[in-house]
Amino acid sequence: MKFYVTTPIYYVNDRPHIGHVYTTTIADIAARFHRLCGDDVFFLTGTDEHAAKVVDSAAEHGVTPQQWADENAKAFQDTFAKLGISNDDFIRTSQERHKVKAQQYVGELLKTGDVYLGDYEGWYDAGQEEYLPENKAKEYEFKSPFNGKPLVRKKEKNYFFRLSRYGDSLLKLLEERPEFVHPDVRRNEVRNRIREGLNDVPISRTGGSDWGIRIPGDSEHTIYVWIDALFNYLSTVDTDERRKFWPADVHLIAKDILWFHAVIWPAMLIALKRELPRQVYAHSFWISEGQKMSKSLGNFIDIEKIDQYVSNFGLDALRYFLARYGPLGINDSDFAEARFNDVYNAELADKLGNLVNRTLTMIQRYRNGVAPQASDEGLRTDAETMVAAYRERMNRLDFVGALDALWGFVVRSNQYVEESAPWKLAKDPAKARQLDGVLYNLAESVRLISVLVTPFMPTTSGAIRTQLGVGDKRGLFAEETNWGRLAAGTKIGQVAPLFPKRT
RNA sequence: GCCAGGGUAGCUCAGUGGUAGAGCAGGGGACUCAUAAGCCCUUGGUCGGGAGUUCAACUCUCCCCCCUGGCACCA
């Protein structure tokens, strides 16, 4: 099986923040899960660079657009590298490999008549040299929000994509493949808007700058940045070696860019006669300490803030928090320090960390650090039930649900310790075999957890395995989740708390 | 303004025409392998407000209030 997952390509004028980190981490978890399952995975992220504002920002900083883009793209690359993101490629829309393909796609659409030269008419702000969308123009009472001068009605030549042609196809798509847009609420949003009718969309600009991709055969027009950006998902894998990955299994996005991904993008792909992605998954937003993040409040969880969390709690704790309490569904999530701290202590230190610690300490104390022989089926049924739920949920990208199942098993294992009270068994030589069984079951439980935690907390997984003495290397999901894989006689390693408690 | 989604215990959320649920936080208990962790028990709610339909509504209908997303070229 192949698995192709994408994040949006990030706008190169932005500085990386929790939103970018979240989407990318979610994609990373999906990618790592599928690698664990033995799938042929391609995980793509990158930067979107051809906006007019990039030209402006570059000018303000006295550098060329390319230099500016290079510098800022590097900020994203560095951030993702620092966060251990396992992307297989990083596409930048200013790269030749992308530009050539994007131009080719628009060329194809020109041939089929899906892209045509038409007239664009709209409210133009002469001072800013830009058009305002109808609703914005209205909001500003048809005056420039910058200098108060009246907006003028202006018309110019523009290339359009014939989106209006694809309304029925899109509705049919949503009907036949309801999973195409996820969650359901988003699909309904999209469907209702499509029913309201689709207009053709302008896909070119005549900025005069040469920062951008030319419309084939017309040196006046460049491809509008959003259209250019969408093509990245295809352009990157549109090579002989990578074509096998298309179509994308899932485009992970935030809800604000749903329209482009669930309507314009599939319509263009239909026009290009390409296979459609299997799913567009739109998550919601993070808010910060109960408040919406905004420039005016200056409360962005920015990269400096993220670094602080990583150095205080560790990268895996951040990944766990993002996955477990992130806005994967329709509600926004609150990134609050007190909450993070509680979750760290309760779920990572007290539940998981302590289970590993008490298990290994008991083996050390009662069995000289050697995993004993199994003697009963103790936690097996619980484990198997959990693994089935975990796998099913992971396959649906329901990471919250998967972690629920996994942590339910952690709790179950802790209960098992209390029920079997190894410290009592240890006092009675006649119960040695029973104690062996209990300790084996706990060790096996810890081993199983080390495997299932891999996509979320790769470093922790390795740390557990090293302490348990089975080594960081692990096999595929199917074999590693077989109960009883731990060999009796395994010598456990040095034991230390995985998540030191914070106060 | 229009189109959606949501307002349920201190917090995060699940739920559905028939006597309100979970996790966390709070309170109590027995234990001791463990990171004063874990385990067991437990206090909390007029289910946003109002009216209506019904034998019966948190659950259906209508009105109002508040929050969130989208309203197409702002990536």
Side-chain angles (χ1 to χ4, degrees):
Chain A
M1 288 274 282
K2 66 90 186 172
F3 182 75
Y4 176 25
V5 55
T6 69
T7 73
I9 47 174
Y10 302 113
Y11 185 41
V12 80
N13 251 17
D14 280 348
R15 305 300 299 171
H17 60 66
I18 192 74
H20 307 113
V21 168
Y22 177 65
T23 313
T24 310
T25 298
I26 289 303
D28 185 64
I29 290 167
R32 286 177 190 268
F33 172 67
H34 282 275
R35 288 191 198 108
L36 181 62
C37 291
D39 293 340
D40 190 7
V41 171
F42 192 70
F43 166 20
L44 180 67
T45 188
T47 41
D48 175 20
E49 311 190 348
H50 287 136
K53 283 182 184 163
V54 172
V55 178
D56 298 344
S57 298
E60 279 168 32
H61 291 80
V63 295
T64 66
Q66 187 65 61
Q67 286 170 326
W68 177 249
D70 288 348
E71 200 176 300
N72 287 10
K74 189 168 182 303
F76 279 96
Q77 285 170 313
D78 289 350
T79 296
F80 296 154
K82 200 162 55 186
L83 295 176
I85 299 299
S86 65
N87 54 299
D88 296 294
D89 198 353
F90 189 97
I91 183 70
R92 298 182 52 194
T93 53
S94 67
Q95 287 169 336
E96 201 57 29
R97 58 172 172 155
H98 171 75
K99 296 204 272 193
V100 168
K101 291 290 178 184
Q103 224 170 15
Q104 177 198 315
Y105 304 142
V106 172
E108 285 178 38
L109 295 175
L110 276 165
K111 265 189 206 138
T112 60
D114 283 293
V115 165
Y116 64 92
L117 187 60
D119 288 315
Y120 179 78
E121 189 180 344
W123 295 103
Y124 188 72
D125 184 337
Q128 293 299 116
E129 295 184 15
E130 67 180 19
Y131 284 93
L132 275 81
E134 190 68 31
N135 60 328
K136 288 280 179 197
K138 199 170 170 186
E139 188 182 322
Y140 297 130
E141 296 174 325
F142 305 100
K143 286 175 191 156
S144 167
F146 295 94
N147 57 22
K149 287 183 185 164
L151 299 174
V152 296
R153 204 66 191 163
K154 193 179 161 183
K155 198 192 231 180
E156 67 177 29
K157 286 288 177 197
N158 210 310
Y159 285 88
F160 284 77
F161 170 60
R162 221 178 277 281
L163 181 63
S164 59
R165 187 184 267 178
Y166 295 99
D168 289 344
S169 308
L170 291 167
L171 287 173
K172 189 158 163 253
L173 168 67
L174 295 177
E175 185 69 30
E176 288 174 354
R177 290 173 45 192
E179 76 291 349
F180 181 73
V181 178
H182 189 87
D184 293 350
V185 171
R186 303 295 166 214
R187 181 184 64 243
N188 294 342
E189 241 171 65
V190 167
R191 191 180 45 210
N192 292 343
R193 278 189 57 200
I194 294 173
R195 283 182 180 153
E196 286 168 15
L198 296 175
N199 297 326
D200 292 347
V201 290
I203 61 153
S204 70
R205 287 294 183 277
T206 50
S209 154
D210 59 359
W211 182 245
I213 303 174
R214 298 230 177 282
I215 295 276
D218 189 332
S219 59
E220 295 294 303
H221 291 259
T222 54
I223 301 172
Y224 173 54
V225 61
W226 245 117
I227 302 304
D228 167 0
L230 287 169
F231 283 136
N232 93 84
Y233 302 126
L234 181 58
S235 70
T236 308
V237 297
D238 200 359
T239 65
D240 288 342
E241 313 78 65
R242 288 176 169 175
R243 205 155 282 133
K244 62 183 176 183
F245 290 115
W246 191 259
D249 289 82
V250 59
H251 292 309
L252 280 167
I253 59 167
K255 59 189 176 183
D256 54 339
I257 55 176
L258 181 61
W259 185 251
F260 289 95
H261 286 82
V263 177
I264 297 176
W265 178 228
M268 289 199 299
L269 288 169
I270 295 171
L272 285 167
K273 298 186 172 53
R274 303 279 181 154
E275 246 187 290
L276 301 186
R278 304 227 155 85
Q279 183 168 71
V280 175
Y281 192 124
H283 69 247
S284 300
F285 294 145
W286 281 100
I287 60 175
S288 167
E289 303 291 343
Q291 285 190 303
K292 195 168 174 169
M293 287 189 278
S294 74
K295 278 179 188 156
S296 51
L297 286 168
N299 62 343
F300 269 88
I301 308 283
D302 57 21
I303 203 62
E304 286 73 24
K305 200 79 182 255
I306 291 167
D307 282 344
Q308 277 173 30
Y309 277 91
V310 171
S311 59
N312 286 343
F313 296 95
L315 175 56
D316 279 2
L318 175 72
R319 290 172 63 96
Y320 178 80
F321 185 77
L322 293 179
R324 181 67 186 78
Y325 293 100
L328 210 46
I330 59 170
N331 293 320
D332 291 346
S333 294
D334 191 11
F335 197 103
E337 186 162 8
R339 189 145 171 260
F340 192 108
N341 203 77
D342 286 351
V343 168
Y344 177 89
N345 281 334
E347 297 176 29
L348 294 178
D350 296 349
K351 289 219 156 67
L352 174 59
N354 190 49
L355 172 67
V356 172
N357 197 240
R358 71 201 301 207
T359 296
L360 300 185
T361 304
M362 285 190 284
I363 292 174
Q364 220 157 37
R365 184 185 283 215
Y366 305 137
R367 288 296 179 266
N368 290 316
V370 177
Q373 201 78 42
S375 70
D376 65 68
E377 300 281 80
L379 289 163
R380 181 178 196 141
T381 309
D382 293 298
E384 287 171 350
T385 305
M386 178 275 288
V387 167
Y390 172 98
R391 181 179 45 217
E392 187 267 335
R393 292 168 189 181
M394 289 300 284
N395 274 318
R396 289 195 337 236
L397 302 179
D398 176 10
F399 299 147
V400 174
L403 287 173
D404 261 347
L406 181 51
W407 252 253
F409 182 67
V410 171
V411 168
R412 176 68 201 114
S413 300
N414 273 317
Q415 285 171 335
Y416 178 77
V417 175
E418 305 294 333
E419 288 164 11
S420 32
W423 50 92
K424 283 183 188 162
L425 299 176
K427 286 175 187 157
D428 183 353
K431 292 183 172 160
R433 190 170 142 72
Q434 199 182 337
L435 177 58
D436 280 353
V438 168
L439 294 179
Y440 179 87
N441 289 337
L442 286 169
E444 176 62 353
S445 159
V446 164
R447 185 197 62 77
L448 181 60
I449 291 165
S450 80
V451 174
L452 300 185
V453 103
T454 304
F456 300 95
M457 303 192 283
T459 307
T460 299
S461 169
I464 295 174
R465 298 178 68 83
T466 303
Q467 291 195 26
L468 182 60
V470 295
D472 196 13
K473 244 186 94 182
R474 69 220 72 171
L476 297 181
F477 186 90
E479 55 201 37
E480 289 286 359
T481 52
N482 280 326
W483 185 263
R485 187 173 164 85
L486 178 71
T490 299
K491 180 90 183 76
I492 67 166
Q494 194 172 0
V495 180
L498 292 167
F499 300 98
K501 190 111 184 223
R502 300 280 183 262
T503 45

